Amino acid sequence: MNLTDPVADFLTRIRNSIRARHQKLDVPASKLKAEIARILKDEGYIANYKATEENGQKVIRVYLKYGTNNEAAIRDLQRVSRPGCRVYVGRDEIRRVQGGLGISIITTPKGVMTGRQARREGVGGEILCEVW
C-alpha cells in the first residue's frame, strides 16, 4: 500500500485504537515511526513498542497505556507539518504544548526529539506532531 503521509496514518491508527480501547496495534515499520514510538514511550504516553515481522512484513507493535479508570495516557494527537504544508521552526520559536502538559515531536539535524530537548540543545526543525 502506498501512503502519501505515513506519519499521519501512524497517528490516526493510534488515535483510533485508543478510542476503541485496544491494548495494542500494529503499523508498517519505518525508522521515523520507530523514533516517534521511542519518544512516546520515553515520555510515558505508550507502555511499550516492539519491531517485529509478520508474514514477511516488518511491523511496529505499539502497546497502549491506560490509567486506573481505563483512561488513556494519550488524550489526543495532532499532525502539524503535512506533506502539503511543511511547518519549520527555529530554536526560539518552539512553543509549549497545552501549557507544558503535552509534547511536540520535532525532526532536527540532530535527530528526532521532543520540543523540550530541541530547545535545550538549541536546534530547530520540522514539527511533526503534538501529543497531549
Side-chain angles (χ1 to χ4, degrees), residues 8-61:
D9 177 64
F10 178 51
L11 298 176
T12 300
R13 287 180 192 226
I14 292 175
R15 191 180 309 114
N16 290 343
S17 296
I18 286 172
R19 291 189 179 148
R21 297 286 181 226
H22 291 275
Q23 295 299 314
K24 64 181 178 181
L25 72 131
D26 290 341
V27 295
S30 76
K31 290 180 183 178
L32 182 59
K33 291 178 196 175
E35 285 297 307
I36 293 171
R38 178 190 59 80
I39 289 173
L40 291 175
K41 181 182 184 300
D42 292 345
E43 295 292 322
Y45 287 104
I46 61 173
N48 204 355
Y49 73 98
K50 175 171 64 170
T52 61
E53 190 168 325
E54 284 189 4
N55 303 329
Q57 297 286 333
K58 292 184 179 180
V59 296
I60 298 173
R61 180 161 292 150

Side-chain angles (χ1 to χ4, degrees), residues 118-131:
R119 272 194 304 275
R120 192 177 315 121
E121 293 194 18
V123 294
E126 179 184 357
I127 301 179
L128 291 177
C129 61
E130 294 178 342
V131 183

Side-chain angles (χ1 to χ4, degrees), residues 2-13 32-33 36 79-86 126 128:
N2 191 7
L3 296 173
T4 58
D5 192 1
V7 174
D9 177 64
F10 178 51
L11 298 176
T12 300
R13 287 180 192 226
L32 182 59
K33 291 178 196 175
I36 293 171
R79 179 80 156 118
V80 177
S81 183
R82 304 182 318 269
C85 182
R86 301 285 185 187
E126 179 184 357
L128 291 177

Side-chain angles (χ1 to χ4, degrees), residues 94-115:
I94 300 171
R95 64 182 192 90
R96 294 171 49 194
V97 178
Q98 296 286 314
L101 298 177
I103 63 166
S104 58
I105 299 177
I106 300 175
T107 58
T108 68
K110 294 185 177 181
V112 181
M113 59 182 70
T114 65

